[in-house]
Amino acid sequence: MNTFGTLFRLTDFGESHGVAIGGVVDGMPAGITIDFDDIQHQLDRRKPGQSPLTTARNESDKVQFLSGIFEGRTTGTPIGFIIPNKDSRSKDYENIRHTFRPNHADYTYSAKYGLRDHRGGGRSSARETAIRVVGGALAQQALALHGISVEARAIQIGGTANPDMFEQEILAAKKDRDSVGGVIECIISGVCPGLGEPIFGKLQAMLASAMMSINAAKGFEYGDGFNAASCRGSQQADNFHIGDNGRVCTRTNHSGGIQGGISNGEDIVFRVAFKPVATIARQLETITDDGMPTLLEVTGRHDPCVIPRAIPVVESMAAMTILDALLMHRSRYKFASVSNS
């Protein structure tokens, strides 16, 4: 399960401390002029070592495209790319070679495969999300041609929803050799009505699956989400009317832009909750891979909070999901047009 998507597909590979990470994008429409600077900008938003709020690992995250783009335009063939790993320090993880970090993927990977790459978490590391950002940046450039934009922001860090306190909350956790979680909200604008497949391919299910594949993601809601459970139907009704442009609109957006699993033309609004980073510098009780109890105090370079670097990842997964849904929608429409002609 290293491939995401149906028609627009991203297959990614690589480990945190390997030679490189990389991916292959299938289904990117041909003839799109690529803004390489924008792709690098999106990677720069996610890369480590930017501030005291992130890990000190110093990766330039310079993407190298290998195929699928000719004279600056997509050819419709697979787009292959790699991002070299430049600043891995495998020795920092030697003390966990035989020890399971609590709340991490160490034990579950070992249970599944019978072995694990202990260097930075290997395949389970958030280092892999840089690949998604490249795929998402390509998807966003395709979506822009249809007037669709994707923008995410932090709305909660730890126990505060006050943006002025976010940095302080993260630095306080870091000072305590601890970590902190948070919530990211994403708004997708300009989506036409009709995206999403009824029943088992609902648009919110596609988005939820995409978001819950991100490291440390623990919850997903769209529209009013869990708050809808305490409301009455009259409070949740998104009444229809005809807007100034002559299209069908709703006066409110409790549905978050999705009704019956299909986009209704309003902004798609969802939120993703992220847990605190599992790897912390505090002493924790755990066991070794041969079942012996031990105490673990992790060293090395780790984020005290995933939220600042997860924002472009959320945007990327949302963009790839919407482009995939759009391609499926257009494919069905074109097929029906041919059949009826």
Side-chain angles (χ1 to χ4, degrees), residues 210-226:
M211 297 306 138
M212 295 304 292
S213 74
I214 302 173
N215 308 60
K218 300 296 285 186
F220 173 89
E221 66 175 14
Y222 72 103
D224 283 359
F226 281 92

Side-chain angles (χ1 to χ4, degrees), residues 9-30:
R9 304 177 60 164
L10 171 68
T11 300
D12 76 14
F13 62 86
E15 294 82 35
S16 178
H17 287 223
V19 175
I21 56 176
V24 177
V25 171
D26 282 300
M28 182 70 174

Side-chain angles (χ1 to χ4, degrees), residues 49-56 166-172 174 302-309:
Q50 299 183 63
S51 75
L53 305 182
T54 66
T55 172
F166 287 172
E167 182 172 335
Q168 180 177 329
E169 192 84 6
I170 296 173
L171 292 176
K174 183 178 181 179
H302 307 283
D303 288 286
C305 180
V306 302
I307 298 298
R309 296 173 61 207

Side-chain angles (χ1 to χ4, degrees), residues 191 197 199 244 253 257 285 291 325 329:
V191 177
E197 305 298 319
I199 311 303
D244 295 337
N253 194 21
E285 294 182 13
H329 180 65

Side-chain angles (χ1 to χ4, degrees), residues 27-245:
M28 182 70 174
I32 297 177
T33 299
I34 296 301
D35 185 339
F36 295 100
D37 290 338
D38 178 70
I39 294 174
Q40 192 58 56
H41 170 68
Q42 299 304 326
L43 280 168
D44 289 346
R45 294 173 62 205
R46 193 221 68 96
K47 73 178 182 180
Q50 299 183 63
S51 75
L53 305 182
T54 66
T55 172
R57 181 170 175 171
N58 185 21
E59 295 285 357
S60 62
D61 279 357
K62 298 297 183 183
V63 60
Q64 301 172 16
F65 287 99
L66 308 177
S67 64
I69 302 174
F70 178 65
E71 295 182 340
R73 301 171 70 199
T74 57
T75 62
T77 58
I79 299 174
F81 62 91
I82 60 170
I83 304 170
N85 289 326
K86 299 289 189 180
D87 189 34
S88 57
R89 296 183 188 173
S90 300
K91 61 180 177 60
D92 288 350
Y93 295 88
E94 194 58 34
N95 68 324
I96 65 165
R97 176 184 285 271
H98 299 290
T99 306
F100 299 136
R101 289 170 292 176
N103 286 23
H104 213 288
D106 295 340
Y107 168 70
T108 51
Y109 264 59
S110 182
K112 182 174 181 64
Y113 298 109
L115 52 86
R116 66 184 174 93
D117 182 350
H118 67 283
R119 303 167 304 164
R123 184 73 173 142
S124 69
S125 170
R127 176 80 184 129
E128 170 268 340
T129 59
I131 305 164
R132 305 176 189 222
V133 172
V134 175
L138 290 168
Q140 288 190 64
Q141 292 186 29
L143 290 175
L145 299 176
H146 293 269
I148 299 173
S149 63
V150 182
E151 185 173 352
R153 64 189 179 100
I155 61 169
Q156 180 180 331
I157 298 289
T160 181
N162 181 357
D164 294 334
M165 299 293 292
F166 287 172
E167 182 172 335
Q168 180 177 329
E169 192 84 6
I170 296 173
L171 292 176
K174 183 178 181 179
K175 181 179 179 181
D176 291 339
R177 299 193 303 165
D178 213 330
S179 61
V180 66
V183 178
I184 292 174
E185 181 177 74
C186 186
I187 300 176
I188 309 171
S189 302
V191 177
C192 64
L195 302 193
E197 305 298 319
I199 311 303
F200 296 116
K202 288 181 167 64
L203 187 57
Q204 73 268 28
M206 293 174 66
L207 286 166
S209 178
M211 297 306 138
M212 295 304 292
S213 74
I214 302 173
N215 308 60
K218 300 296 285 186
F220 173 89
E221 66 175 14
Y222 72 103
D224 283 359
F226 281 92
N227 287 334
S230 59
C231 296
R232 293 192 173 187
S234 58
Q235 297 172 304
Q236 286 286 296
D238 288 325
N239 298 320
F240 289 109
H241 70 107
I242 301 299
D244 295 337
N245 56 6

